[in-house]
Amino acid sequence: MKEFYISGLKTGQEVTDFFMVKSIAVKMGSNKRQYLDLLLGDKTGEITAKKWDVADEELPAYSKIGEGDILKIKALVTEWNGMKQFRVMRVRRQSGNDPVEIGDFIKAAPEKPEDMYAYVLEKAQALEDKDLQKLCVRILTEQKEKLMYYPAAQKNHHAELAGLLYHIKRMLMNGEQMCQIYRNLNKDLVLAGVILHDMEKINEIESNEQGISTGYSFEGQMLGHLIQGVKMLDRLTEELEFPREKAIMLEHMILSHHYEPEFGSPKKPLFPEAEILHYLDIIDARMFDMEDALEKTEPGGYSDRIWTLDNRRLYKPKGAEPALKEEPRDGGEA
């Protein structure tokens, strides 16, 4: 039975428990001594870990440890640059006799993948634009198996089991509301852009069926999901005999949704639906990162520094209520 979870760790605490390997490497320190550099995780988060002064005779055992393995470690919780870290004293791989439950180590979206998929598919089928409807339904149908578990990132927002579906669903819910406020928006184009904008992450990111990413594919590293998405749309819209203007606008939405060249977008949005897609994406990513950080923070205290939020430490008010983790399937009020 797991006793210590990453979200509840306190500086100075000594911990002996099981954690999942997210990454592992033997590195050389400035003192010319080898050390073991780990990123460990459980269902509540991730933490870096160091085992200093690794001897040569320890290397064969460490070389057998890979991403996704469960380790039993004894460590002290320390702090570095405002973030908690393990100083590892002892480490070994899980044995067959160790009482572990895989659910303790896998971070998952708070809704059932089947329910989220049904919601997204229903929105696609309801599109009045028959070109966009046919395209979205086809892609969702073809990718259904992988959407049941695929994360939306390797380490950042929605890096969890079925995180990509959760990201798409919440953006759809928000996008529909935006279209009620800004009446100049083409609702079908906005919703289709939401459904398709990150779909090629399935071919950019490598993931196992537990939603744990082990890195990026060759094409993912060389091109990235924006360019992969444009290639996919160029092929399918031609096959489905899309009007050329509509096809190019949809491709532009995918290409521009990261907004800045340093984040992969060579063009900024050139029409309102592309602009709103960018902000829908940013809103959901930021809200996810904030919710995730504050879930691990004691009321009246500050979170660890969040790299994706410009290294801010977020404040959690005293008496704050726990976050609502389940959303109704129809997107209405609870």
Side-chain angles (χ1 to χ4, degrees), residues 156 282-283 285-294 303-314:
N156 298 325
I282 284 291
I283 288 168
R286 295 281 173 84
M287 289 298 101
F288 179 94
D289 288 340
M290 286 189 166
E291 181 182 11
D292 188 56
L294 291 175
S303 72
D304 289 337
R305 294 190 182 279
I306 312 302
W307 176 77
T308 55
L309 299 174
D310 303 316
N311 278 327
R312 282 177 279 171
R313 297 182 68 193
L314 306 181

Side-chain angles (χ1 to χ4, degrees), residues 294-331:
L294 291 175
E295 189 178 329
K296 308 166 190 173
T297 304
E298 293 292 329
Y302 292 86
S303 72
D304 289 337
R305 294 190 182 279
I306 312 302
W307 176 77
T308 55
L309 299 174
D310 303 316
N311 278 327
R312 282 177 279 171
R313 297 182 68 193
L314 306 181
Y315 178 70
K316 186 171 185 175
K318 296 176 182 177
E321 293 294 325
L324 179 66
K325 299 305 292 180
E326 290 287 342
E327 294 169 345
R329 184 188 175 284
D330 64 1

Side-chain angles (χ1 to χ4, degrees), residues 130-172:
K130 296 306 177 184
D131 293 320
L132 296 176
Q133 180 197 75
K134 189 181 297 184
L135 175 65
C136 290
V137 169
R138 173 169 169 170
I139 291 174
L140 287 169
T141 303
E142 289 178 348
Q143 301 293 0
K144 179 179 180 179
E145 182 179 348
K146 288 187 174 181
L147 283 168
M148 291 298 110
Y149 62 85
Y150 239 80
Q154 183 183 15
K155 291 181 180 178
N156 298 325
H157 75 88
H158 299 85
E160 58 187 5
L161 181 74
L164 181 55
L165 261 181
Y166 189 47
H167 180 46
I168 292 171
K169 185 202 167 184
R170 296 208 301 186
M171 283 180 65
L172 284 173

Side-chain angles (χ1 to χ4, degrees), residues 82-99:
M83 299 186 70
K84 293 182 180 66
Q85 187 179 85
F86 277 147
R87 187 169 75 222
V88 178
M89 293 169 271
R90 296 177 60 187
V91 57
R92 70 166 175 83
R93 293 178 71 185
Q94 170 201 359
S95 72
N97 296 323
D98 289 324

Side-chain angles (χ1 to χ4, degrees), residues 176-206:
E176 286 199 301
Q177 297 300 314
M178 288 289 192
C179 290
Q180 291 184 25
I181 299 168
Y182 303 106
R183 297 300 180 92
N184 61 310
L185 291 171
N186 179 324
K187 179 181 174 182
D188 280 3
L189 191 57
V190 170
L191 299 189
V194 167
I195 291 169
L196 300 172
H197 81 288
D198 274 349
M199 193 62 68
E200 276 299 293
K201 284 189 172 184
I202 286 174
N203 294 312
E204 177 191 39
I205 298 169
E206 294 178 340

Side-chain angles (χ1 to χ4, degrees), residues 36-54:
L36 190 63
D37 186 29
L38 295 154
L39 179 64
L40 303 173
D42 61 26
K43 68 179 182 180
T44 69
E46 296 178 343
I47 188 169
T48 58
K50 316 284 186 188
K51 186 178 188 298
W52 303 107
D53 298 329
V54 171

